[in-house]
């Protein structure tokens, strides 16, 4: 069974809005590129899918936009080419190498996890909360930003039951960001 990994940037006060932390740098983009590459497919909710597509889908011209630095291109190419699954009750179709997840969330994600491969990657806020409540997340990766945001969506806000975690890896970045990898205690 392939593991489901949840990864997200989070500030010291628990905010996980994509603009609340430090701007991406070369070191963090290399880390995220490696995280994405560890997955056979990405699992997104509608909002995260739309946000990622607007930022990282390769334009029809075949050329990355001028705003993108050279060190961002490996991440852009990795996410652009990745297989994606989208959970949405409002979308009737998706593209960008994606397909809609059909049926009840728990059994549908269980089926994805049963497929052979190295792993699934989930990002965002709302979908991971539902997956955590269902006990489907096998690994949590938090890139803790040395920032106090004071506002915005909070990490796993509304979780029904406490989930005890075991730290299995830590990586310190020059920027002060700390990547913490946890697995749920059984």
């Amino acid at each position: 069974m392939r593991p489901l990994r949840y990864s997200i940037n989070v500030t010291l006060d628990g905010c996980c809005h994509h603009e609340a932390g430090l701007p991406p740098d070369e070191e963090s983009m290399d880390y995220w590129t490696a995280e994405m590459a560890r997955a056979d497919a990405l699992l997104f909710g509608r909002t995260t899918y739309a946000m990622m597509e607007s930022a990282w889908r390769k334009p029809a011209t075949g050329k990355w936009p001028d705003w993108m630095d050279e060190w961002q291109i490996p991440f852009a190419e990795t996410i652009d080419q990745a297989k994606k699954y989208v959970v949405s009750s409002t979308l009737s179709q998706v593209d960008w190498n994606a397909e809609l997840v059909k049926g009840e969330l728990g059994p549908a994600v269980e089926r994805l996890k049963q497929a052979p491969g190295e792993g699934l990657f989930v990002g965002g806020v709302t979908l991971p909360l539902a997956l955590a409540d269902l006990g489907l997340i096998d690994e949590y990766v938090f890139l803790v930003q040395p920032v106090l945001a004071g506002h915005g969506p909070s990490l796993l806000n509304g979780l029904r039951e406490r989930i005890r975690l075991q730290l299995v890896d830590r990586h310190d970045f020059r920027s002060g960001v700390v990547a913490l990898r946890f697995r749920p205690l059984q």
Side-chain angles (χ1 to χ4, degrees), residues 51-164:
M51 181 179 68
M52 293 300 205
E53 182 183 27
S54 70
W56 302 111
R57 184 175 190 161
K58 194 166 200 171
T61 63
K63 184 177 189 262
W64 291 108
D66 292 338
W67 63 262
M68 195 176 290
D69 291 320
E70 193 68 32
W71 51 266
Q72 293 174 307
I73 292 175
F75 175 83
E77 289 176 341
T78 300
I79 194 169
D80 182 62
Q81 295 168 9
K83 171 70 179 164
K84 298 158 196 79
Y85 294 99
V86 181
V87 175
S88 174
S89 61
T90 58
L91 294 175
S92 59
Q93 64 181 21
V94 291
D95 58 3
W96 193 41
N97 196 26
E99 67 182 73
L100 285 170
V101 174
K102 305 283 187 193
E104 191 177 330
L105 180 63
V109 172
E110 283 287 356
R111 283 190 297 277
L112 292 175
K113 289 177 67 170
Q114 293 297 328
E118 296 300 313
L120 298 166
F121 174 99
V122 64
V125 178
T126 306
L127 177 59
L129 173 61
L131 296 170
D133 275 337
L134 292 169
L136 293 173
I137 298 177
D138 302 296
E139 192 171 275
Y140 294 82
V141 181
F142 303 125
L143 266 67
V144 182
Q145 308 280 314
V147 172
L148 296 171
H151 62 83
S154 355
L155 182 64
L156 298 171
N157 186 28
L159 192 63
R160 286 186 286 197
E161 292 186 28
R162 180 173 80 150
I163 300 172
R164 294 209 43 217

Side-chain angles (χ1 to χ4, degrees), residues 3-11 15-16 28 30-36 38-39 120-124 128 132 137-145 155-156 165-173 177-184:
L4 177 59
R5 299 179 186 106
Y6 173 40
S7 299
I8 194 163
N9 289 305
V10 60
T11 64
C15 178
C16 46
S28 66
D30 286 348
Y31 184 87
W32 282 118
T33 302
E35 281 296 296
M36 294 278 177
R38 289 177 62 213
L120 298 166
F121 174 99
V122 64
I137 298 177
D138 302 296
E139 192 171 275
Y140 294 82
V141 181
F142 303 125
L143 266 67
V144 182
Q145 308 280 314
L155 182 64
L156 298 171
L165 303 173
Q166 175 184 9
L167 180 66
V168 294
D169 189 41
R170 173 191 172 121
H171 177 82
D172 296 314
F173 293 78
V177 169
V178 178
L180 301 171
R181 185 178 309 277
F182 297 92
R183 291 198 183 108

